[in-house]
Every structure is written in C-alpha cells, then in structure tokens.
Amino acid sequence: PRPILDMSYSRHFLDFQGSSIPSSMKKLVVTKLSQNFREAVTLRQDSPVPLPGDGDLLVRNRFVGINASDINYSAGRYDASVKPPFDIGFEGVGDVVALGLSASADYTVGQAVAYGKAGSFAEYTVVPAKHAVPLPSVKPEFLTLMVSGATAYISLKELGELSEGKKVLVTAAAGGTGQFAVQLAKKAKCHVIGTCSSDEKGGFLKSIGCDRTINYKTENVESVLRKDYPEGVDVVYESVGGKMFDLALNSLATKGRLIVIGFIAGYQNPTGLQPIKAELLPAKLLKKSASIRGFFLNDYLSEYKMALKHLLKMYERGDLVCEVDFGDMSPEGKFTGLESVFRAVDYMYMGKNIGKIVVELPHSVNSKL
C-alpha cells in the first residue's frame, strides 16, 4: 500500500473544491503497436485512479498537449522493450488533488502544475513531484512550453549558435514548436524565414515577427530561397523530413547548421521514415563545411528546468506568444474530452493547426467523474 498524505486529514482525499476523487477514470492506452493512432490506442472507461506514492502528486488533468511523436510512441519506436498495454500522452496541466507525504513539503492540494511525463492522456496522472512545475494558474498557454517551447529553446541555444543578422529557416513554422523557434530566433536578432501551408498561417507568422513567410502550397520553396537568399541560410530548424529536408540541406550557407528536431512527413509510414537523398550528404556537407545536428529533448533533461523557468518568465512578461489551437475550426469543433484526442491527432497530421494543439478535459466540480 502506498501512503497518501497524513491519513488523519481526510481533506487530502478531496480536491480543493470539495468534490470526491473517483475510484475509476477514463484514460487512453496503447493496446497494439501501430503508427495508425486510431488502431493502436483504446479509450478505457473504467481504469483505476492511481494512488500517489510518497514523493508523488496526483494531478487531475485539465489540458493535455498533442505532439507529432504521439504516433511514434504508439508505434513503439522510442523503446522497443515496452510492450502493450501502456499509457500515452506526454504532457499535461492540471490541479494537484492528492499527494504523498514527502511531496507535501513543496506542494499542496489545489496547486496548479504542469508536467512532462508519459501517461497524460488520462483524467488523473501520478507525477513525481520533482518532475512537476508549479504554475500561477491552470492555463493552456503554459502547456505549450512543456515540450514544444523547451524543444525550440534548448535546441537553438545549444546547437543553433544564433547571433545578430544570421538567417534562420524554420520549417512547419506555424506549428506547436515552430512558433517558438520563430520567436526565439527573432529575439536573437536573426532574420527569420518560415514555411507554412496557408495564407492564414502566414499571417500568424508575420504577427509573431517572421520576416519572410513561404506558403509551400502556392510558392516554390526552393525557388524562393535561391532567389531571395542566394548565399544560403545559416541555420535551419527542421521538423518535416523527406523532400523538405533535402531542400533545407541544399539551402545551407557555408558553415550552415541544420538542426533536425523531427521528420513528421514520415511518421505515419510503417518505417516512420520518408526517403531522403542521403548518398550526396558527405559531399554536400564537406563542400560547405556545414553540419547536421539531431535534437531529442530527453537527451537534454539537465537543461530542462532552466529552459522552462526562462520561458515562463518570458510569457508572463508578455515577451512570448503561446498560440493554442483547440480545434475550434475543425469540422466537429473544439477538442474536448479524451475521446477527441483521436480527432486532434488527425487534425495535426492534416496540417491544419496554428500553434500547439491542446485538448481540454472538462470536469464537473460537484460530481464524481
């Protein structure tokens, strides 16, 4: 048995609004490995609500974030040793509703927190207190920073070598992480070029400071780059893969740097990859003294808390736009409830979102969920 904070205080079995914590909950579980999210994932209606251990928080999730790599996780590409069934979802924002004794040194019932941890696609998630981030309030904007903001900040800081006047190309610039790459490169006084798939997205990018937007549905990206940036670009923040990767590589300036933070164009394929023209890679890099660096957030966790602290301060000062897309413009409307995670993943892969896709998990204060 795992203790919940001081058994003599029954209020710790209640959330701060006074509604009971139910014994069962809904959550999403990977029941079969597949890159097809709908095939891989099952909505379980009556999973037991987990108990927090001594150093843990029990968080009632209010907002959860959708990431391109959710389908890499459901396909078993991150850890081959993990077999179904397993929990899914990488990040959440919510209220602490119960906690272990050690965790109570730093947290209290009713506190707003954000976290990055597998298993957020659930009504309640147990989060180690050391992995939680205290928040001033429960707002979806904070969620955008947990994975997307941190990825952009740490990758550009550690690998980008940004300085005034550098030309930075951001692919999928209006997406969850692209929006931060654009803004952070602008803060470093760089000239920023962003690719996107609609004029509406282009308008959003201009509003956050993007110097040149390229709508790849109506413009030829390669021609634009060759014409407007004949010397090439200094840094590419690349998340698309396939043809876009080849194009970005060819657009690098001498001593240019290409940072790979993903390759979403291939994730829905059985292998998770789209072909690239890799046979010319050594010659292209050598000729330009250029480099390619991969970035995976899990390998930079030592930088994570510092990055998040910095980003939270920027947001609270009004120096950072954290665009949230709740799917209001999607055919079936806003993403509400765990059932809508499936639609939200589809929406992302259709390239419809502007900013970070977030699903709201509403709760009734006076009833048992």
Side-chain angles (χ1 to χ4, degrees):
R2 293 178 294 171
I4 294 182
L5 174 62
D6 193 342
M7 294 297 185
S8 65
Y9 293 103
S10 61
R11 72 188 182 84
H12 289 296
F13 294 94
L14 302 174
D15 71 33
F16 68 109
Q17 300 274 17
S19 66
S20 302
I21 298 171
S23 56
S24 64
M25 66 174 185
K26 293 179 185 176
K27 73 171 178 176
L28 295 187
V29 178
V30 176
T31 49
K32 172 190 172 186
L33 295 184
S34 170
Q35 78 282 355
N36 181 329
F37 193 83
R38 288 178 180 271
E39 243 177 52
V41 178
T42 303
L43 174 61
R44 295 242 166 109
Q45 300 279 354
D46 54 358
S47 295
V49 172
L51 288 178
D54 180 58
D56 297 333
L57 312 173
L58 180 64
V59 178
R60 179 177 54 203
N61 294 313
R62 298 274 299 282
F63 300 101
V64 294
I66 305 295
N67 291 282
S69 43
D70 287 329
I71 69 173
N72 283 335
Y73 200 62
S74 72
R77 290 179 185 141
Y78 282 165
D79 185 350
S81 68
V82 179
K83 303 294 179 213
F86 55 86
D87 297 346
I88 190 165
F90 291 131
E91 55 190 340
V93 163
D95 312 297
V96 175
V97 292
L99 67 173
L101 195 55
S102 298
S104 69
D106 299 305
Y107 290 91
T108 58
V109 167
Q111 192 159 357
V113 293
Y115 65 89
K117 174 189 176 286
S120 71
F121 291 164
E123 288 175 327
Y124 293 84
T125 304
V126 166
V127 179
K130 62 183 180 185
H131 293 156
V133 178
L135 298 174
S137 61
V138 174
K139 283 175 73 173
E141 285 79 6
F142 292 125
L143 186 60
T144 67
L145 303 174
M146 297 306 295
V147 173
S148 300
T151 293
Y153 180 83
I154 301 170
S155 63
L156 289 173
K157 179 175 173 283
E158 297 292 317
L159 310 177
E161 297 173 39
L162 301 185
S163 58
E164 188 170 352
K166 296 286 185 194
K167 294 185 281 293
V168 178
L169 170 65
V170 180
T171 64
T177 177
Q179 65 171 326
F180 294 112
V182 168
Q183 292 178 81
L184 293 167
K186 281 307 294 177
K187 299 276 179 220
K189 299 182 178 172
C190 297
H191 176 94
V192 182
I193 309 131
T195 70
C196 61
S197 60
S198 71
D199 291 342
E200 190 190 357
K201 290 183 180 187
F204 165 67
L205 288 173
K206 283 176 184 150
S207 77
I208 58 170
C210 197
D211 296 288
R212 173 65 159 101
T213 61
I214 308 174
N215 178 350
Y216 61 79
K217 294 277 177 77
T218 58
E219 296 180 272
N220 183 301
V221 181
E222 194 169 11
S223 302
V224 170
L225 290 172
R226 201 182 302 127
K227 176 175 167 288
D228 292 358
Y229 306 95
E231 302 294 311
V233 295
D234 302 295
V235 179
V236 182
Y237 182 88
E238 215 298 271
S239 61
V240 177
K243 289 175 183 168
M244 187 63 84
F245 173 89
D246 288 329
L247 197 152
L249 178 68
N250 292 339
S251 304
L252 281 178
T254 301
K255 298 183 184 174
R257 297 169 295 287
L258 195 158
I259 304 169
V260 177
I261 65 119
F263 34 95
I264 189 173
Y267 291 173
Q268 289 181 303
N269 298 346
T271 61
L273 298 166
Q274 257 204 343
I276 58 168
K277 295 174 181 168
E279 66 276 5
L280 297 173
L281 196 58
K284 285 179 178 177
L285 294 177
L286 179 67
K287 186 179 172 190
K288 292 178 174 177
S289 296
S291 63
I292 299 175
R293 300 286 298 273
F295 179 87
F296 186 47
L297 186 58
N298 289 7
D299 296 327
Y300 286 85
L301 293 181
S302 60
E303 305 291 313
Y304 185 76
K305 279 271 167 107
M306 172 278 300
L308 220 47
K309 212 170 169 182
H310 185 79
L311 291 166
L312 281 165
K313 275 187 187 154
M314 285 180 74
Y315 172 68
E316 285 168 349
R317 282 198 311 262
D319 289 342
L320 199 63
V321 172
C322 298
E323 188 70 15
V324 171
D325 191 331
F326 277 120
D328 294 297
M329 306 307 290
S330 67
E332 292 169 61
K334 186 176 176 177
F335 302 132
T336 305
L338 287 170
E339 308 78 14
S340 68
V341 168
F342 299 96
R343 283 200 298 122
V345 170
D346 290 343
Y347 183 73
M348 169 173 276
Y349 279 91
M350 287 187 286
K352 299 291 187 188
N353 60 298
I354 295 180
K356 174 86 179 181
I357 300 176
V358 172
V359 174
E360 183 172 6
L361 306 186
H363 65 283
S364 171
V365 167
N366 296 315
S367 68
K368 293 188 177 187
L369 292 173

